[in-house]
Amino acid sequence: MQPDKIKNKGQARLFENQYLEMLTKTHPLVIWGMYLPVIGYLLYYSVAQAGWGVAQAAGIFFLGVSGWTLFEYIMHRFVFHFVTERPRLRRIIYTLHGNHHEYPRDKQRLFMPPVPSLIIASVIFGLMRLVLGMAAFPYFPGFMLGYLLYGTIHYAIHAWRPPFPWAKPLWRNHHLHHYKSEERGFGVSTSLWDRVFGTFFKG
């Protein structure tokens, strides 16, 4: 998926149709505004209707946040960087993630846009409900908060310098992923899984 040349200005044209093209862009505040009410309501529902105590719901919620980080790593490594010679599949991967590698400073495509985001989130919640039962109600909000934090960190990495000294390894890991090797540095919100699975940039 390595583009011939990384472009630090401009953005890819993904669809000829202007309305479809518009739906591929968003701002972080739009996504936060979409999901914060969902997170709040599901946490309320977890305690008021789903039968979880506050401490239990909080524990499952934070498991969801942690669960997101592993999901993020797996998706980034094995889905967004899937290698194939099939043109249609290559086009899908480019639309999902490849355009970000070609135009890493395109701030309008650092979050999944609202329409596909809502569809994917609904499918994930449905699967969690099947697998986790009532625990999905506190787990999913934590998972989605993890996603919001990931997206915000990703946006910050591409838009600004690290604001704190402890954030420098995250910035370095992701910038090296873009500008040195796409085969390492898959974690964005944390470098934990890169360290666990041996894909962290050393030195």
Side-chain angles (χ1 to χ4, degrees), residues 39 64-65 68-69 72 141-151 189:
I39 290 170
V65 176
W68 163 263
T69 64
E72 166 200 323
F143 188 85
M144 291 311 298
L145 179 62
Y147 167 67
L148 293 175
L149 294 173
Y150 147 81
S189 60

Side-chain angles (χ1 to χ4, degrees), residues 32-85:
W32 275 89
M34 277 172 35
Y35 286 116
L36 275 183
V38 175
I39 290 170
Y41 174 74
L42 287 178
L43 285 174
Y44 165 79
Y45 185 88
S46 298
V47 176
Q49 301 291 330
W52 297 101
V54 173
Q56 290 175 313
I60 298 171
F61 174 84
F62 285 109
L63 282 176
V65 176
S66 299
W68 163 263
T69 64
L70 180 57
F71 179 84
E72 166 200 323
Y73 179 90
I74 291 170
M75 287 294 293
H76 192 183
R77 181 175 181 179
F78 298 109
V79 177
F80 293 162
H81 284 271
F82 182 72
V83 177
T84 178
E85 296 302 320

